[in-house]
Amino acid sequence: MRYLVLCAMFALVACKEDAAEAPPPPTDLTELALSYFCQMNIAEHGGPKGQIHLAGYAQPIFFAQVRDLVAYLKSPEREAEILAIYVSDMGIAPSWEEPGIDNWVAADVAYYVVGAGVAGGMGAPEIVPFATSAGADNFIHLYGGSIFTLNDIPDSAAIGPVDLENKLETPT
């Protein structure tokens, strides 16, 4: 009997540990969401968005461009431990101007189109995320670029100067 009680206690502790390790779910994008770097209202800008959940923070930090989210990840200075990262799935977004409020995909499983020559919400070249490789392939067929995983996105795609004189396309 003691053996069964001990097994039950260990199972309960293991379940609680698994629940504690589950990442927080994505937060819907609202009119109140401000971009981390510029503190501008995200809803006023088109293109894909991102959110990062940090330990000790009740709400995620949002990014007006996925390019900015990737720059944050590549930065050596961060505010806290990252618990979860989500990006807009542009394969099911209503449009480029309305990227959706709840069509998030975990950033570590998304496919990213880099080098398509499209402008994100803040006018800089954008890194465009998709939940499926087929969605990324369709985008590349229309706008060009190459597919990368989150960890393989080149630093040059997110960090460094941006030539805003070079006219970028806004997808339709």
Side-chain angles (χ1 to χ4, degrees):
M1 182 67 168
R2 286 184 187 178
Y3 178 74
L4 288 175
V5 171
L6 283 174
C7 287
M9 287 176 47
F10 283 122
L12 183 60
V13 169
C15 288
K16 285 185 178 182
E17 286 178 4
D18 286 346
E21 292 177 17
T27 300
D28 286 355
L29 191 61
T30 70
E31 301 82 35
L32 302 176
L34 300 177
S35 183
Y36 175 75
F37 286 127
C38 65
Q39 295 299 299
M40 295 177 75
N41 186 303
I42 292 180
E44 296 174 3
H45 304 280
K49 310 296 177 225
Q51 61 178 275
I52 298 177
H53 294 255
L54 300 171
Y57 287 71
Q59 296 296 317
I61 55 175
F62 284 97
F63 296 86
Q65 284 200 215
V66 173
R67 178 185 198 276
D68 294 344
L69 177 141
V70 173
Y72 179 88
L73 294 175
K74 290 182 178 289
S75 170
E77 298 176 19
R78 294 193 203 122
E79 294 186 24
E81 175 190 359
I82 294 174
L83 301 176
I85 307 168
Y86 299 100
V87 291
S88 301
D89 175 6
M90 293 306 285
I92 60 171
S95 71
W96 190 262
E97 289 304 316
E98 294 180 33
I101 62 169
D102 62 358
N103 53 314
W104 301 104
V105 60
D108 62 339
V109 299
Y111 299 86
Y112 298 87
V113 176
V114 175
V118 296
M122 301 308 293
E126 185 59 291
I127 298 168
V128 188
F130 294 88
T132 66
S133 62
D137 286 335
N138 291 337
F139 191 83
I140 288 171
H141 179 73
L142 295 171
Y143 301 101
S146 301
I147 296 177
F148 290 87
T149 64
L150 181 62
N151 291 332
D152 293 331
I153 295 172
D155 290 354
S156 61
I159 300 172
V162 173
D163 179 8
L164 293 177
E165 297 296 318
N166 183 14
K167 295 296 179 191
L168 298 170
E169 194 169 350
T170 300
T172 54

